[in-house]
């Protein structure tokens, strides 16, 4: 789960890190009053709180020179979709004059299975761009998760960025805090870009934290506001989430349902291979029960752009009879709204599954390629 | 031979009294796997499918000192604790079936296992099978046959799919192992590839990868450096997946400019690895590779 910038900054402040003075305003708030009572003095930065990458470039951050301008720009931002998403929250901050922009981030490295700290003198650009244009300027440092990131390690990294004196010790504190926040909040990513360099300190102008969704049971304060942050998702994707379906919307017309991400992705690839276009990726996951399958089939068939549906199941922990029962339930519920369907069904409890489907006139395939050919001929 | 498990493997099932734990204990026993004990806190003293259940791993290994492997069906919230418990009980191979375990938890137990000399398979994986000998996992046993092909996969269902078609083509498997689809896993492709390289039964390796991460690229590098000499046939799922979207589980996402389909295929082909466009071509490519070898 991506946190909003203002939330990430709230977290880092808990670790004693200074952030630019600011105020959060929501649609309908008295913006002028909010700015005045927070004691902010222009110039200000008005920043749309949207969870998309490249927000600045897309026009989501505006610099203003007085309060009047801040109010009008804010009102305008509330109406302006940034990469398709209309912000409902803004962060208005003191604009900070600074000498240089750094990058500091932490991710989990798959190969080493350790936290990886990335720092660079090239802040302000996105890291992929830096990786492409100045690969040598990204300093990588693996942290031993048992030892944690120690002060001296943060200091060595700061030195490598050319920092000295007070700015060096401020950077040391910042990186330490970022690491602790990364660990305490089960983050997949914690980064500041840009991290402003001032003569005597560093200051995170932007801050991003992504919490691992699987850990949300430990971070219930964010789980409660999940709906506010579904910015990147389409309406159907949001609806799918509410039904607990792992669904990605695509633009073709063949509904794709599979079990397991690997098989479902492959099914999608194969639909293309046979000259058709998938309308979605829907992975029913491992061990899906009949009700879950019913929901999945009904959800895909209710998509107006779906003309036909392909279900590809290879049961392991998932049982073919449960799948078949779910399909039958969905077809009954949908009645004449049901769309043409090809089922490939094999694996655990395959025989029982076939019997259940045959009762409603569906003959499932066991060979996926034959099934795809049948789908194409449909 | 085959790798990691064999007919002498003695298994403890952690979370044996749950829906999946008891169901798959029965299937493993039917396959001939030596399941010697189960653990569920609070259910000590009962039995599941005739297997004695204990409250703690400590009790289970004291009563069954020959147990060397565990398989975990414990819910995500408590799974990390179960893994640490198995490591501290001295279990050397731990298969973690559970999905949705927090990544930081996985990172902690994977590092701890390494320190203590235990192997973790998973999390979020179908387990491991040495066809005809033992199965420590949830895979449908009938699709596997004994033979010369080592299969390693990030996806559960694709593992079954590929093994089914290999078996149908008369190509049995030495060991089939699902390493798991999460960003952080215990065993990784490079490690499994090295084990297959040393295993006398394995004559060819099938690698079923997917977009995201760089494990496939690292295997390609090992082939290039001559560390893996046995022929490898690869398949990468997610050729048509949109960038930046999470496809079903946490592992399959293209991020920070790494893990794209074309980069993986390019690295593999550059190393001379044959890459199948669909999983169904794999048997043909494996037969060709075995003939050349």
């Amino acid at each position: 789960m991506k946190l909003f910038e203002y939330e990430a900054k709230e977290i880092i402040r808990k670790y004693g890190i200074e952030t630019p003075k600011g105020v959060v305003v929501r649609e309908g708030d008295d913006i002028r009053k909010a700015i005045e009572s927070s004691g902010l003095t222009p110039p200000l930065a008005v920043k749309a709180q949207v969870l998309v990458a490249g927000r600045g470039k897309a026009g989501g951050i505006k610099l203003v020179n007085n309060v009047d301008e801040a109010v009008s720009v804010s009102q305008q931002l509330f109406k302006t979709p940034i990469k398709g998403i209309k912000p409902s929250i803004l962060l208005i901050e003191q604009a900070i004059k600074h000498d240089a922009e750094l990058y500091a981030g932490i991710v989990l490295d798959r190969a080493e299975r350790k936290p990886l700290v990335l720092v660079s003198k090239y802040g302000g650009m996105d890291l992929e761009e830096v990786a492409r244009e100045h690969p040598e300027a990204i300093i990588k440092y693996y942290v031993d998760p048992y030892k944690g990131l120690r002060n001296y390690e943060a200091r060595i990294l700061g030195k490598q960025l050319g920092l000295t004196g007070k700015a060096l010790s401020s950077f040391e504190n910042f990186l330490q805090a970022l690491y602790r926040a990364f660990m305490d909040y089960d983050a997949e990513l914690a980064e500041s870009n840009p991290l402003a360099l001032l003569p005597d300190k560093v200051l995170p102008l932007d801050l991003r934290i992504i919490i691992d969704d699987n850990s949300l049971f430990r971070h219930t304060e964010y789980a409660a506001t999940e709906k506010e942050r579904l910015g990147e998702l389409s309406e159907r994707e949001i609806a799918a989430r509410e039904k607990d379906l792992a669904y990605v919307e695509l633009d073709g017309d063949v509904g794709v349902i599979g079990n397991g991400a690997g098989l479902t992705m492959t099914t999608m690839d194969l639909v293309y291979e046979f000259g058709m276009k998938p309308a979605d990726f829907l992975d029913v996951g491992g061990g899906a029960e009949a009700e879950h399958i019913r929901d999945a089939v009904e959800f895909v068939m209710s998509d107006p752009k779906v003309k036909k549906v392909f279900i590809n199941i290879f049961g392991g922990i998932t049982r073919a009879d449960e799948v078949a029962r779910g399909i039958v339930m969905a077809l009954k519920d949908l009645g004449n709204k049901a769309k043409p369907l090809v089922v490939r069904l094999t694996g655990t409890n395959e025989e029982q599954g076939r019997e259940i489907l045959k009762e409603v006139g569906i003959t499932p395939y066991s060979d996926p390629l034959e099934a795809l050919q049948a789908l194409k001929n449909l | 031979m085959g790798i990691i498990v064999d007919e002498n493997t003695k298994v403890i099932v952690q979370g044996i009294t749950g829906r999946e734990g008891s169901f798959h204990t029965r299937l493993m026993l039917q396959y001939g796997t030596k399941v010697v004990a189960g653990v569920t806190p609070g259910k000590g003293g009962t039995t599941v499918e005739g297997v004695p259940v204990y409250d703690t791993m400590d009790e289970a290994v004291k009563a069954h000192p020959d147990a060397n492997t565990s398989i975990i069906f414990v819910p995500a919230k408590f799974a990390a604790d179960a893994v640490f418990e198995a490591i501290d009980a001295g279990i050397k191979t731990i298969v973690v079936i559970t999905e949705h375990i927090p990544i930081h938890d996985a990172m902690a137990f994977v590092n701890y296992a390494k320190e203590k000399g235990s192997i973790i398979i998973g999390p979020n994986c179908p387990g491991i099978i040495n066809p005809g000998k033992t199965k420590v996992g949830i895979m449908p046993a009938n699709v596997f046959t004994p033979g010369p092909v080592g299969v390693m996969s990030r996806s559960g269902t694709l593992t079954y799919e590929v093994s089914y078609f290999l078996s149908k083509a008369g190509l049995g498997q030495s060991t089939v192992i699902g390493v798991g689809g999460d960003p952080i896993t215990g065993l990784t492709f490079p490690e499994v590839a090295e084990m297959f390289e040393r295993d006398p039964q394995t004559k060819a390796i099938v690698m079923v990868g997917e977009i995201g991460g760089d494990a496939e690229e690292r295997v390609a590098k090992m082939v290039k450096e001559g560390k893996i000499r046995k022929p490898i046939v690869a398949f990468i799922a997610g050729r048509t997946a949109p960038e930046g979207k999470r496809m079903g589980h946490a592992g399959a996402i293209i991020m920070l400019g790494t893990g794209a389909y074309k980069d993986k295929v390019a690295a593999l082909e550059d190393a001379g690895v044959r890459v199948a466009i669909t999983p169904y071509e794999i048997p043909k490519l494996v037969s060709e590779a075995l003939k050349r070898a």
Side-chain angles (χ1 to χ4, degrees):
Chain A
M1 168 183 285
K2 294 177 178 175
L3 297 188
F4 290 114
E5 174 194 5
Y6 79 89
E7 293 172 315
K9 283 179 170 165
E10 275 166 10
I11 288 176
I12 205 78
R13 281 198 294 273
K14 286 187 202 160
Y15 296 87
I17 297 298
E18 182 193 344
T19 62
K21 192 172 181 182
V23 62
V24 174
V25 295
R26 288 166 193 266
E27 224 170 342
D29 285 355
D30 185 335
I31 296 163
R32 182 177 304 277
K33 210 167 129 192
I35 295 173
E36 281 167 0
S37 60
S38 66
L40 285 169
T41 49
L44 304 172
V46 183
K47 305 161 96 177
Q49 301 296 289
V50 283
L51 300 170
V52 296
R55 170 184 61 154
K57 274 187 202 160
I61 300 174
K62 304 275 186 205
L63 284 172
V64 297
N65 291 313
N66 56 59
V67 176
D68 285 344
E69 207 186 333
V71 172
S72 65
V73 161
S74 295
Q75 279 158 352
Q76 202 187 315
L77 269 180
F78 277 130
K79 291 184 204 127
T80 316
I82 311 294
K83 294 193 167 177
I85 297 155
K86 250 177 44 183
S88 58
I89 306 169
L90 303 178
L91 173 62
I92 304 177
E93 275 186 343
Q94 201 79 58
I96 306 288
K97 262 184 72 179
H98 51 279
D99 306 323
E101 296 188 334
L102 308 173
Y103 173 92
I106 305 170
V107 293
L108 286 174
D109 187 85
R110 294 167 177 242
E112 293 293 323
R113 294 100 144 188
K114 284 176 179 165
L116 171 63
V117 177
L118 300 158
V119 296
S120 175
K121 280 181 193 174
Y122 292 87
M125 303 160 57
D126 70 58
L127 198 66
E128 283 167 40
E129 213 175 305
V130 182
R132 234 179 359 255
E133 289 172 22
H134 311 280
E136 74 295 340
I138 298 176
I139 299 163
K140 294 183 175 183
Y141 186 80
Y142 291 103
V143 182
D144 178 335
Y146 282 101
K147 189 176 62 174
L149 182 73
R150 314 303 306 189
N151 284 68
Y152 76 89
E153 295 173 296
R155 214 147 54 224
I156 290 171
L157 288 166
K159 288 293 276 188
Q160 284 178 269
L161 291 175
L163 305 181
T164 54
K166 283 187 175 160
L168 177 64
S169 75
S170 164
F171 176 82
E172 178 187 316
N173 287 337
F174 175 75
L175 204 59
Q176 279 272 331
L178 193 67
Y179 180 78
R180 283 169 54 209
F182 177 82
M183 296 303 286
D184 293 348
Y185 284 84
D186 281 284
E188 285 175 28
L189 169 84
E191 69 176 5
S192 174
N193 189 26
L195 177 66
L197 177 60
L198 282 66
D200 60 343
K201 65 182 173 196
V202 294
L203 198 60
L205 296 193
D206 196 3
L207 200 67
R208 280 218 309 159
I209 293 178
I210 303 177
I211 296 180
D212 167 21
D213 286 344
N214 288 338
S215 76
L216 284 176
F217 65 85
R218 290 198 280 251
H219 308 286
T220 45
E221 69 275 33
Y222 298 109
T225 58
E226 202 174 347
K227 274 194 190 155
E228 274 186 35
R229 50 189 94 240
L230 296 176
E232 282 181 321
L233 305 179
S234 72
E235 267 171 45
R236 285 194 59 81
E237 287 171 343
I238 292 169
R241 243 182 203 228
E242 280 162 12
K243 292 187 186 297
D244 221 10
L245 298 171
Y247 170 89
V248 176
E249 185 164 19
L250 305 166
D251 54 9
D253 58 8
V254 177
V256 171
I257 299 173
N259 65 319
L263 183 65
T264 312
M265 275 197 286
T266 301
T267 306
M268 221 171 85
D269 296 346
L270 285 168
V271 166
Y272 273 108
E273 197 65 29
F274 274 73
M276 298 172 280
K277 277 185 90 177
D280 63 80
F281 161 100
L282 198 164
D283 168 16
V284 296
E289 294 180 40
E291 291 73 18
H292 188 65
I293 302 288
R294 176 196 61 200
D295 289 351
V297 175
E298 290 187 12
F299 188 75
V300 169
M301 285 197 178
S302 69
D303 184 346
K305 65 176 184 287
V306 167
K307 299 240 163 51
K308 46 190 173 183
V309 173
F310 185 49
I311 301 179
N312 191 4
I313 303 287
F314 204 127
I317 200 162
T318 304
R319 300 167 207 174
D321 53 332
E322 289 282 328
V323 172
R325 248 188 295 279
I327 294 172
V328 171
M329 282 158 71
L331 294 178
K332 274 198 181 128
D333 289 354
L334 286 160
N336 58 8
K337 285 186 196 133
K339 292 177 181 171
L341 174 75
V342 171
V343 183
R344 185 275 179 125
L345 189 63
T346 186
T348 310
N349 293 358
E350 182 177 331
E351 287 314 312
Q352 295 96 306
R354 292 180 164 276
E355 286 310 310
I356 293 165
L357 284 181
K358 272 183 193 155
E359 280 168 27
V360 294
I362 298 173
T363 311
Y365 290 83
S366 34
D367 185 302
L369 299 178
E370 280 172 25
L372 276 154
Q373 194 53 52
L375 180 75
K376 192 170 179 173
N377 298 342
L378 210 64
Chain B
M1 279 288 285
I3 61 169
I4 305 173
V5 293
D6 60 23
E7 58 273 32
N8 299 316
T9 294
K10 304 258 179 15
V11 181
I12 300 178
V13 178
Q14 293 178 260
I16 191 168
T17 56
R19 178 179 180 260
E20 303 304 342
S22 55
F23 180 71
H24 288 286
T25 296
R26 185 166 79 235
L27 295 186
M28 284 190 282
L29 286 167
Q30 278 171 10
Y31 197 71
T33 303
K34 296 181 174 103
V35 179
V36 297
V39 169
T40 298
K43 297 280 172 71
T46 61
T47 60
V48 170
E49 304 288 332
V51 174
V53 180
Y54 301 87
D55 286 314
T56 65
M57 280 298 281
D58 184 59
E59 286 172 305
V61 295
K62 275 186 183 137
H64 306 272
D66 53 350
N68 51 14
T69 298
S70 89
I71 179 165
I72 293 181
F73 291 99
V74 174
K77 215 168 165 174
F78 312 106
D81 201 56
V83 179
F84 281 113
E85 188 181 7
I87 298 169
D88 281 344
I91 299 294
K92 288 302 166 198
T93 301
I94 301 158
V95 178
V96 189
I97 303 296
T98 312
E99 56 179 342
H100 301 307
I101 295 179
I103 311 174
H104 280 255
D105 289 3
M107 178 173 72
F109 64 63
V110 163
N111 279 282
Y112 188 64
K114 210 180 244 180
E115 211 163 279
K116 299 281 177 178
S118 294
I119 290 175
I120 306 260
I121 300 173
N124 187 13
C125 81
I128 179 167
I129 182 166
N130 271 10
K133 293 179 192 157
T134 192
K135 145 177 145 156
V136 186
I138 57 172
M139 53 285 270
N142 58 324
V143 305
F144 303 92
T145 49
V149 185
V151 179
M152 55 185 186
S153 170
R154 274 163 72 185
S155 148
T157 35
L158 273 184
T159 312
Y160 319 152
E161 188 83 322
V162 167
S163 302
Y164 172 73
F165 281 93
L166 283 170
S167 292
K168 223 172 126 185
L171 296 162
Q173 304 91 41
S174 53
T175 302
V176 177
I177 172 167
V179 299
D182 284 356
I184 302 259
T185 59
L187 278 189
T188 61
F189 280 165
E191 289 159 347
V192 179
E194 264 179 354
M195 292 178 185
F196 278 140
E197 179 70 16
R198 287 196 302 269
D199 171 40
Q201 188 189 336
T202 303
K203 304 292 178 212
I205 302 167
V206 170
M207 173 164 70
V208 183
E210 51 188 42
I211 54 165
D214 68 346
E216 295 84 358
E217 287 92 326
R218 286 185 287 127
V219 170
K221 195 164 165 249
M222 291 166 73
V223 173
K224 237 185 151 172
E225 288 167 350
K227 287 180 188 152
I228 307 290
R229 293 165 181 281
K230 291 180 182 174
I232 302 186
V233 172
F235 168 74
I236 310 291
R239 183 161 51 96
T240 58
E243 195 164 338
K245 286 277 192 180
R246 218 170 262 270
M247 306 305 285
H249 60 67
I253 178 170
I254 305 169
M255 247 185 144
L256 277 176
T258 65
Y261 179 83
K262 61 174 178 4
D263 298 334
K264 289 188 187 291
V265 172
L268 288 164
E269 286 180 343
D270 181 51
V273 174
R274 293 288 298 272
V275 182
I277 300 293
T278 76
Y280 314 107
E281 286 172 12
I282 292 175
K284 187 178 96 186
L285 297 182
V286 170
S287 309
E288 287 171 15
L290 283 173
K291 264 177 225 150
R292 276 199 310 271

